[in-house]
Amino acid sequence: MDKTKKERLAAAGWRAGDAGEFLDLSTEEAAFVELKLALADYLREVRSRNGWTQAQVARRLGSSQSRVAKMEAADASVSIDLLVKALLGLGASRTEVGNVIAKPA
Amino acid sequence: MDKTKKERLAAAGWRAGDAGEFLDLSTEEAAFVELKLALADYLREVRSRNGWTQAQVARRLGSSQSRVAKMEAADASVSIDLLVKALLGLGASRTEVGNVIAKPA
DNA sequence: GAAGGATATGTCAGAATTGACATGGCGTCA
DNA sequence: TGACGCCATGTCAATTCTGACATATCCTTC
């Protein structure tokens, strides 16, 4: 199973329980994917909490609706850098970002 | 002042106090750089705590000594993804990474 | 069930990141 | 002084990421 497929699957429906349950993710790979999912989920939460559309968020960040959708889906083409920059750009603090990453879902 | 120069300066000697003191970093840019510096510093700490050389760490991570040096220097060519993967690869937990990011230096 | 707004997915050219190599600097030891 | 180990910096080809566009899928509301 290639890396793309793994991230795709993980991003798709494996937020219940540990990602990498019967996927062949090493523990570090699983931790990485989970960390990314946590940020993606939080991004969506911040957006909906403020009643924004993906297009509005995209405008704020100087990006596009499709990329915001991919961010929220933790798509394989989205980096942690992008997610962190997006959260900071929407007003989240460094501490807030850290807590999202640290907290076990 | 361009982005590269800013990160370079910040990475060089501005860990005392807030980066972006008299640099023209916006608050989000400053938060991003500080976050990156925190991870870089922690990487160096983990390495020295274990008594490893940069070359040894590089071997463990499947990278090179020069890239590890750049990671620890929070070089502009280093992504947060790379820093996070490095820390996880050296045995740090997701929570540990989150705490490093969250803690106000 | 057509229309419209919102979100999802595929693709791609341009930009950014990465491992590797070369080389330079620094401290230590003989 | 020279040799050696460790860290820093510059460069670059290959890979990966990103914004943008096109298009598809969902929901509501009428």
Side-chain angles (χ1 to χ4, degrees):
Chain A
M1 193 181 285
D2 69 346
K3 193 184 161 204
T4 301
K5 183 76 171 300
K6 283 187 296 191
E7 288 211 29
R8 186 49 70 53
L9 277 176
W14 289 105
R15 41 202 66 192
D18 258 1
E21 200 107 316
F22 66 90
L23 301 170
D24 67 333
L25 299 171
S26 73
T27 49
E28 344 157 5
E29 284 170 330
F32 187 79
V33 172
E34 283 172 23
L35 190 154
K36 205 163 144 183
L37 283 173
L39 291 173
D41 286 349
Y42 191 63
L43 176 61
R44 192 186 295 264
E45 186 187 320
V46 167
R47 177 172 69 82
S48 69
R49 176 167 43 220
N50 288 90
W52 293 326
T53 66
Q54 291 182 342
Q56 286 175 315
V57 167
R59 232 169 295 128
R60 264 169 204 269
L61 302 176
S63 183
S64 62
Q65 177 271 322
S66 59
R67 188 128 299 271
V68 173
K70 280 163 201 186
M71 289 185 215
E72 293 185 352
D75 187 276
S77 79
V78 171
S79 70
I80 297 215
D81 289 64
L82 188 62
L83 287 167
V84 168
K85 280 177 183 162
L87 287 172
L88 294 176
L90 294 183
S93 68
R94 174 189 155 186
T95 299
E96 211 172 335
V97 171
N99 287 339
V100 167
I101 291 177
K103 196 182 303 178
Chain B
M1 192 181 287
D2 69 345
K3 194 185 161 203
T4 301
K5 183 76 171 300
K6 283 187 296 191
E7 288 209 30
R8 185 48 70 53
L9 276 175
W14 288 105
R15 40 202 67 192
D18 258 1
E21 201 107 314
F22 66 90
L23 302 170
D24 67 333
L25 299 171
S26 75
T27 49
E28 340 156 8
E29 284 171 330
F32 187 78
V33 172
E34 284 172 21
L35 190 154
K36 207 164 141 180
L37 282 173
L39 291 174
D41 286 349
Y42 191 62
L43 177 61
R44 192 186 294 266
E45 186 188 319
V46 167
R47 178 173 69 82
S48 69
R49 177 168 38 221
N50 288 90
W52 292 326
T53 67
Q54 291 181 342
Q56 286 175 315
V57 167
R59 235 169 294 127
R60 264 169 204 270
L61 302 176
S63 183
S64 61
Q65 177 271 323
S66 59
R67 189 127 299 272
V68 172
K70 280 163 205 196
M71 289 185 214
E72 293 185 354
D75 188 274
S77 80
V78 171
S79 70
I80 297 214
D81 289 65
L82 188 62
L83 287 168
V84 168
K85 281 177 184 162
L87 287 172
L88 295 177
L90 294 184
S93 68
R94 173 188 155 187
T95 298
E96 210 173 336
V97 170
N99 287 338
V100 167
I101 291 176
K103 195 184 301 176

